Each structure stands twice: as C-alpha cells, then as structure tokens.
Amino acid sequence: MAEIVKNLLRKYKIRPSKRFGQNFLIDKIVLKKIVATANLQPRDIILEIGPGTGILTKELAKKVKKVIAIEKDPEMVKILQEATQDLKNVKIIQGDILELNPKRYNLKPKTYKVVANLPYYITSPVIRKFLELPKARPRIMVLMVQKEVAQRITAKPPNMNLLAVSVQFYAKPNIMSYVSKRSFWPQSKVDSAIIKIVPHKSALIGINYNLFFEIVRAGFSQPRKQLINNLSRLNFSSKNLGGQAKYLKIHRQKIKNWLLKNKIQPDQRAETLSIRDWLKLTGTFRL
Ligand code: SAH
C-alpha cells in the first residue's frame, strides 16, 4: 500500500504537506479495522473527512450507497478525482470540514456516519462540531486519533477530564484498536487509536447545556484542586451580602451544601465525578 500512495504523489509531483497534516495510511490491516468498525451497510451514507489519496474512500464506496468526501487540499482533490473516477457514488467536495454545514449536503440527523483519518490538530474541533450539531448529529463517528487523546476521551472516574465529559455528555466513545505510528507514511510522530463514538439515542431533555458546561469548566478550572475551591469561582446572582469576606464565606457554604446534597464531598476532585454527578449538580443549581 505504501508504494501505491508514494507512486500517486510522485505522478502528480507533490509531497505530503505538513500544513494539511498529511500522514497517509499505508497499512491494510488498519484499513480493514476502520471499515469493520464502521459496520457498513448498503444503505449507508458516509461523510469522509480528509480523504487524501482516496485509499479509504475506495473501500467505503464499494460497500455503501454514497460517500461524501471533504478534502481541504486542492492538490489532493485532483488525485482523488482521478482515483475515484469509476466510482459513481463518491462525491468530492473541496473545503474545510470545520466550515461545512452538513445541512447543505442533505445530511439528516442519524442518517449518516462520519469516517475519518484526519489531522490530529483538528480532532477536538471536529468531534465537538459533530456532537454539538443540534439537528444533524451522525449515527456514529469512526476516527483515527492520537493514542493519548483516545485515552483521554474514553477516561472514567476517578480519571475524568474536560474533554471526556464534553464527549461523554453527548455520546459513548470506545477505543477499538491501537495503531502504530509505522502504519502511516510519512511515519507520524505518535501512536494512534481507532475510536468509535456513538451519540446517545435521545438528547437530554430539560438540561441547561450552557449551565452544565459552565459548571463542568469551573470544576476542572484548576486541575487536581478540590471541587469546593474550583466551584467557588462560579458566579451567583446573590447580591447585598455585605462585605466581601462575608460574601465569600456564605458563598462557600452554599457551594458546600450544594455538593453534599448531591452526595459529593467538597474535597473531591473534578476528575472523580461521573457525567451523572455533573447532571445532578446542574439540575440542583439554585444558589
Ligand atoms: N485519509 C487519508 C489521508 C490522511 S492525511 C489516508 O488515510 O490516507 C489527512 C488528510 O486530511 C489530508 O488529505 C489533508 O489534506 C486533509 N485535511 C486537512 N485539514 C482538513 C480540513 N480542515 N478539512 C478537510 N480535510 C482536511
């Protein structure tokens, strides 16, 4: 596979671009694992991000109804067009995934799957974009990500982090396989993992999303600090409490009661809380 990719680039006289984060997949077994994880069905519509030379695109196109491939690099688009010219079900769009509006391509909620081996520096914004889309969430996302990022996304209490909460609030992430840096050309600097992210069936009803994330962000604002300290930074509407010191004292006591009411100890750290704990805190925020 490495030779196919190298020859293609040679033919078009282009080099892998660092700016576009180009590390092409050259490992057939890994390719098969991505395809298997996506559990492709003949009726599927796939949104592929960063198709590059089309190695994965072609595998996907053989098995599904349609592949919409978004590629930012115009040089790659040329290669891709030739590589997929016989495949009538591939639609190539030149553009930046972070600027794309899924509605424009008629991608309706839960009808499509996102599959991508994409540059690592856009992993978090891409995941956030697709999970936060209120009315166009994909059915699943299968992504190649940096190994450490995969581990952070799938973390559990007592090792939670802001990224894990942000993803697990919307979806269930799983690491499907670890991937060596040698599976890419040019070889990447770090090892990778294939992750599957399955959005929850129904959105959480009655939850104030902004408040949820405000509380979570405050909780994690200083790593390894006790919740009582981090959450005391939250701003409440309490006014006319008199002097600053008195205000802070009352404020702290309120935070303490709020935590205890939810069976959370004030000296616990944010890393130990589950999504359910954060939801309870959001639901009982009446200070
Ligand atoms: N999926 C291919 C290529 C991986 S390299 C393979 O596995 O071989 C990452 C690809 O993402 C490159 O083709 C790069 O040009 C493209 N890319 C980088 N930033 C992008 C963005 N913002 N939107 C869409 N594609 C992007």
Side-chain angles (χ1 to χ4, degrees), residues 92-117:
I92 300 162
I93 294 161
Q94 199 244 309
D96 185 329
I97 189 61
L98 297 175
E99 277 152 31
L100 168 118
N101 178 359
K103 280 195 197 135
R104 225 179 101 198
Y105 305 100
N106 211 15
L107 293 168
K108 301 211 178 73
K110 297 184 194 148
T111 60
Y112 70 101
K113 298 176 176 174
V114 171
V115 179
N117 167 29

mmCIF file of all heavy atoms in Angstrom, residues 92-117:
data_model
loop_
_atom_site.group_PDB
_atom_site.id
_atom_site.type_symbol
_atom_site.label_atom_id
_atom_site.label_comp_id
_atom_site.label_asym_id
_atom_site.label_seq_id
_atom_site.Cartn_x
_atom_site.Cartn_y
_atom_site.Cartn_z
ATOM 1 N N ILE A 92 -16.939 14.355 -4.266
ATOM 2 C CA ILE A 92 -15.794 15.018 -3.643
ATOM 3 C C ILE A 92 -16.084 16.513 -3.512
ATOM 4 O O ILE A 92 -16.517 17.150 -4.463
ATOM 5 C CB ILE A 92 -14.521 14.822 -4.494
ATOM 6 C CG1 ILE A 92 -14.229 13.313 -4.627
ATOM 7 C CG2 ILE A 92 -13.332 15.554 -3.892
ATOM 8 C CD1 ILE A 92 -13.303 12.975 -5.755
ATOM 9 N N ILE A 93 -15.833 17.011 -2.326
ATOM 10 C CA ILE A 93 -16.043 18.441 -2.105
ATOM 11 C C ILE A 93 -14.746 19.042 -1.599
ATOM 12 O O ILE A 93 -14.161 18.545 -0.634
ATOM 13 C CB ILE A 93 -17.163 18.675 -1.073
ATOM 14 C CG1 ILE A 93 -18.494 18.187 -1.654
ATOM 15 C CG2 ILE A 93 -17.257 20.145 -0.687
ATOM 16 C CD1 ILE A 93 -19.542 17.932 -0.620
ATOM 17 N N GLN A 94 -14.286 20.076 -2.275
ATOM 18 C CA GLN A 94 -13.082 20.731 -1.784
ATOM 19 C C GLN A 94 -13.495 21.772 -0.746
ATOM 20 O O GLN A 94 -14.290 22.672 -1.038
ATOM 21 C CB GLN A 94 -12.313 21.402 -2.919
ATOM 22 C CG GLN A 94 -10.869 21.679 -2.526
ATOM 23 C CD GLN A 94 -10.543 23.142 -2.485
ATOM 24 O OE1 GLN A 94 -10.814 23.860 -3.440
ATOM 25 N NE2 GLN A 94 -9.952 23.569 -1.377
ATOM 26 N N GLY A 95 -12.989 21.616 0.472
ATOM 27 C CA GLY A 95 -13.349 22.574 1.508
ATOM 28 C C GLY A 95 -12.827 22.148 2.861
ATOM 29 O O GLY A 95 -12.248 21.069 3.016
ATOM 30 N N ASP A 96 -13.043 23.030 3.818
ATOM 31 C CA ASP A 96 -12.579 22.802 5.183
ATOM 32 C C ASP A 96 -13.747 22.238 5.995
ATOM 33 O O ASP A 96 -14.796 22.876 6.079
ATOM 34 C CB ASP A 96 -12.126 24.155 5.764
ATOM 35 C CG ASP A 96 -11.510 24.002 7.146
ATOM 36 O OD1 ASP A 96 -11.917 23.084 7.905
ATOM 37 O OD2 ASP A 96 -10.629 24.814 7.476
ATOM 38 N N ILE A 97 -13.536 21.091 6.594
ATOM 39 C CA ILE A 97 -14.621 20.432 7.328
ATOM 40 C C ILE A 97 -15.197 21.335 8.421
ATOM 41 O O ILE A 97 -16.387 21.289 8.722
ATOM 42 C CB ILE A 97 -14.165 19.085 7.947
ATOM 43 C CG1 ILE A 97 -15.346 18.323 8.521
ATOM 44 C CG2 ILE A 97 -13.086 19.263 8.994
ATOM 45 C CD1 ILE A 97 -16.403 17.951 7.545
ATOM 46 N N LEU A 98 -14.329 22.180 8.982
ATOM 47 C CA LEU A 98 -14.810 23.000 10.097
ATOM 48 C C LEU A 98 -15.739 24.126 9.627
ATOM 49 O O LEU A 98 -16.421 24.739 10.423
ATOM 50 C CB LEU A 98 -13.631 23.570 10.884
ATOM 51 C CG LEU A 98 -12.763 22.499 11.554
ATOM 52 C CD1 LEU A 98 -11.547 23.114 12.217
ATOM 53 C CD2 LEU A 98 -13.568 21.687 12.557
ATOM 54 N N GLU A 99 -15.747 24.344 8.321
ATOM 55 C CA GLU A 99 -16.644 25.387 7.808
ATOM 56 C C GLU A 99 -17.861 24.816 7.108
ATOM 57 O O GLU A 99 -18.704 25.536 6.593
ATOM 58 C CB GLU A 99 -15.875 26.305 6.850
ATOM 59 C CG GLU A 99 -15.122 27.364 7.632
ATOM 60 C CD GLU A 99 -13.891 27.850 6.929
ATOM 61 O OE1 GLU A 99 -13.884 27.854 5.685
ATOM 62 O OE2 GLU A 99 -12.924 28.203 7.627
ATOM 63 N N LEU A 100 -17.930 23.498 7.073
ATOM 64 C CA LEU A 100 -19.022 22.873 6.325
ATOM 65 C C LEU A 100 -20.325 22.832 7.121
ATOM 66 O O LEU A 100 -20.321 22.597 8.322
ATOM 67 C CB LEU A 100 -18.611 21.429 5.995
ATOM 68 C CG LEU A 100 -19.701 20.519 5.470
ATOM 69 C CD1 LEU A 100 -19.357 20.051 4.094
ATOM 70 C CD2 LEU A 100 -19.900 19.335 6.397
ATOM 71 N N ASN A 101 -21.402 23.081 6.435
ATOM 72 C CA ASN A 101 -22.707 22.949 7.067
ATOM 73 C C ASN A 101 -23.360 21.664 6.546
ATOM 74 O O ASN A 101 -23.731 21.590 5.381
ATOM 75 C CB ASN A 101 -23.560 24.177 6.717
ATOM 76 C CG ASN A 101 -24.945 24.061 7.309
ATOM 77 O OD1 ASN A 101 -25.280 23.077 7.959
ATOM 78 N ND2 ASN A 101 -25.761 25.069 7.066
ATOM 79 N N PRO A 102 -23.477 20.649 7.423
ATOM 80 C CA PRO A 102 -23.972 19.341 6.962
ATOM 81 C C PRO A 102 -25.328 19.418 6.273
ATOM 82 O O PRO A 102 -25.645 18.602 5.425
ATOM 83 C CB PRO A 102 -24.084 18.526 8.243
ATOM 84 C CG PRO A 102 -23.286 19.230 9.251
ATOM 85 C CD PRO A 102 -23.239 20.671 8.856
ATOM 86 N N LYS A 103 -26.082 20.431 6.641
ATOM 87 C CA LYS A 103 -27.422 20.546 6.044
ATOM 88 C C LYS A 103 -27.347 20.806 4.549
ATOM 89 O O LYS A 103 -28.222 20.406 3.803
ATOM 90 C CB LYS A 103 -28.186 21.680 6.723
ATOM 91 C CG LYS A 103 -28.762 21.259 8.044
ATOM 92 C CD LYS A 103 -29.812 22.250 8.513
ATOM 93 C CE LYS A 103 -30.073 22.054 9.993
ATOM 94 N NZ LYS A 103 -30.123 23.312 10.700
ATOM 95 N N ARG A 104 -26.259 21.451 4.156
ATOM 96 C CA ARG A 104 -26.118 21.769 2.736
ATOM 97 C C ARG A 104 -26.019 20.509 1.878
ATOM 98 O O ARG A 104 -26.362 20.503 0.705
ATOM 99 C CB ARG A 104 -24.868 22.623 2.542
ATOM 100 C CG ARG A 104 -25.133 23.794 1.635
ATOM 101 C CD ARG A 104 -23.916 24.643 1.468
ATOM 102 N NE ARG A 104 -23.254 24.363 0.210
ATOM 103 C CZ ARG A 104 -22.001 24.699 -0.047
ATOM 104 N NH1 ARG A 104 -21.283 25.281 0.885
ATOM 105 N NH2 ARG A 104 -21.468 24.425 -1.200
ATOM 106 N N TYR A 105 -25.530 19.452 2.484
ATOM 107 C CA TYR A 105 -25.387 18.208 1.733
ATOM 108 C C TYR A 105 -26.490 17.231 2.085
ATOM 109 O O TYR A 105 -26.380 16.042 1.879
ATOM 110 C CB TYR A 105 -23.988 17.620 1.952
ATOM 111 C CG TYR A 105 -22.959 18.644 1.600
ATOM 112 C CD1 TYR A 105 -22.324 19.380 2.593
ATOM 113 C CD2 TYR A 105 -22.699 18.951 0.269
ATOM 114 C CE1 TYR A 105 -21.427 20.383 2.268
ATOM 115 C CE2 TYR A 105 -21.812 19.957 -0.063
ATOM 116 C CZ TYR A 105 -21.183 20.667 0.941
ATOM 117 O OH TYR A 105 -20.318 21.670 0.612
ATOM 118 N N ASN A 106 -27.537 17.796 2.635
ATOM 119 C CA ASN A 106 -28.713 16.999 2.931
ATOM 120 C C ASN A 106 -28.408 15.864 3.909
ATOM 121 O O ASN A 106 -28.957 14.768 3.792
ATOM 122 C CB ASN A 106 -29.289 16.439 1.625
ATOM 123 C CG ASN A 106 -30.782 16.289 1.739
ATOM 124 O OD1 ASN A 106 -31.391 16.852 2.652
ATOM 125 N ND2 ASN A 106 -31.366 15.524 0.839
ATOM 126 N N LEU A 107 -27.498 16.131 4.838
ATOM 127 C CA LEU A 107 -27.163 15.114 5.832
ATOM 128 C C LEU A 107 -28.125 15.262 7.001
ATOM 129 O O LEU A 107 -28.002 16.155 7.818
ATOM 130 C CB LEU A 107 -25.719 15.277 6.301
ATOM 131 C CG LEU A 107 -24.677 14.983 5.229
ATOM 132 C CD1 LEU A 107 -23.303 15.436 5.673
ATOM 133 C CD2 LEU A 107 -24.655 13.499 4.888
ATOM 134 N N LYS A 108 -29.081 14.384 7.048
ATOM 135 C CA LYS A 108 -30.099 14.493 8.098
ATOM 136 C C LYS A 108 -29.638 13.756 9.346
ATOM 137 O O LYS A 108 -28.823 12.837 9.267
ATOM 138 C CB LYS A 108 -31.401 13.908 7.581
ATOM 139 C CG LYS A 108 -31.902 14.629 6.329
ATOM 140 C CD LYS A 108 -33.411 14.611 6.256
ATOM 141 C CE LYS A 108 -33.907 15.356 5.041
ATOM 142 N NZ LYS A 108 -33.667 14.619 3.790
ATOM 143 N N PRO A 109 -30.175 14.163 10.507
ATOM 144 C CA PRO A 109 -29.708 13.550 11.758
ATOM 145 C C PRO A 109 -29.802 12.035 11.730
ATOM 146 O O PRO A 109 -30.794 11.488 11.260
ATOM 147 C CB PRO A 109 -30.652 14.119 12.818
ATOM 148 C CG PRO A 109 -31.497 15.114 12.151
ATOM 149 C CD PRO A 109 -31.194 15.178 10.716
ATOM 150 N N LYS A 110 -28.752 11.407 12.256
ATOM 151 C CA LYS A 110 -28.714 9.955 12.438
ATOM 152 C C LYS A 110 -28.846 9.152 11.154
ATOM 153 O O LYS A 110 -29.105 7.961 11.192
ATOM 154 C CB LYS A 110 -29.796 9.522 13.436
ATOM 155 C CG LYS A 110 -29.557 10.119 14.806
ATOM 156 C CD LYS A 110 -30.574 9.618 15.790
ATOM 157 C CE LYS A 110 -30.542 10.447 17.041
ATOM 158 N NZ LYS A 110 -31.813 10.560 17.674
ATOM 159 N N THR A 111 -28.726 9.788 10.004
ATOM 160 C CA THR A 111 -28.824 9.017 8.762
ATOM 161 C C THR A 111 -27.445 8.752 8.184
ATOM 162 O O THR A 111 -27.299 7.973 7.269
ATOM 163 C CB THR A 111 -29.630 9.779 7.695
ATOM 164 O OG1 THR A 111 -28.947 11.016 7.445
ATOM 165 C CG2 THR A 111 -31.049 10.049 8.132
ATOM 166 N N TYR A 112 -26.433 9.421 8.712
ATOM 167 C CA TYR A 112 -25.117 9.264 8.086
ATOM 168 C C TYR A 112 -24.052 8.941 9.132
ATOM 169 O O TYR A 112 -24.253 9.111 10.329
ATOM 170 C CB TYR A 112 -24.759 10.537 7.317
ATOM 171 C CG TYR A 112 -24.457 11.727 8.192
ATOM 172 C CD1 TYR A 112 -23.153 12.108 8.430
ATOM 173 C CD2 TYR A 112 -25.484 12.458 8.794
ATOM 174 C CE1 TYR A 112 -22.877 13.204 9.245
ATOM 175 C CE2 TYR A 112 -25.212 13.545 9.602
ATOM 176 C CZ TYR A 112 -23.908 13.908 9.825
ATOM 177 O OH TYR A 112 -23.620 14.976 10.632
ATOM 178 N N LYS A 113 -22.921 8.434 8.630
ATOM 179 C CA LYS A 113 -21.806 8.092 9.512
ATOM 180 C C LYS A 113 -20.599 8.926 9.111
ATOM 181 O O LYS A 113 -20.385 9.153 7.928
ATOM 182 C CB LYS A 113 -21.459 6.607 9.359
ATOM 183 C CG LYS A 113 -22.591 5.661 9.745
ATOM 184 C CD LYS A 113 -22.218 4.204 9.468
ATOM 185 C CE LYS A 113 -23.318 3.264 9.945
ATOM 186 N NZ LYS A 113 -23.058 1.850 9.567
ATOM 187 N N VAL A 114 -19.833 9.335 10.103
ATOM 188 C CA VAL A 114 -18.596 10.066 9.824
ATOM 189 C C VAL A 114 -17.432 9.080 9.957
ATOM 190 O O VAL A 114 -17.340 8.362 10.956
ATOM 191 C CB VAL A 114 -18.400 11.236 10.814
ATOM 192 C CG1 VAL A 114 -17.013 11.853 10.671
ATOM 193 C CG2 VAL A 114 -19.470 12.304 10.607
ATOM 194 N N VAL A 115 -16.582 9.017 8.944
ATOM 195 C CA VAL A 115 -15.404 8.155 9.000
ATOM 196 C C VAL A 115 -14.209 9.009 8.598
ATOM 197 O O VAL A 115 -14.279 9.744 7.618
ATOM 198 C CB VAL A 115 -15.534 6.948 8.028
ATOM 199 C CG1 VAL A 115 -14.280 6.081 8.086
ATOM 200 C CG2 VAL A 115 -16.759 6.109 8.365
ATOM 201 N N ALA A 116 -13.125 8.930 9.358
ATOM 202 C CA ALA A 116 -12.003 9.797 9.016
ATOM 203 C C ALA A 116 -10.669 9.395 9.625
ATOM 204 O O ALA A 116 -10.594 9.022 10.779
ATOM 205 C CB ALA A 116 -12.310 11.228 9.449
ATOM 206 N N ASN A 117 -9.653 9.481 8.780
ATOM 207 C CA ASN A 117 -8.284 9.524 9.280
ATOM 208 C C ASN A 117 -7.847 10.943 8.997
ATOM 209 O O ASN A 117 -7.468 11.267 7.883
ATOM 210 C CB ASN A 117 -7.408 8.514 8.541
ATOM 211 C CG ASN A 117 -5.931 8.744 8.819
ATOM 212 O OD1 ASN A 117 -5.567 9.238 9.884
ATOM 213 N ND2 ASN A 117 -5.081 8.432 7.862
#
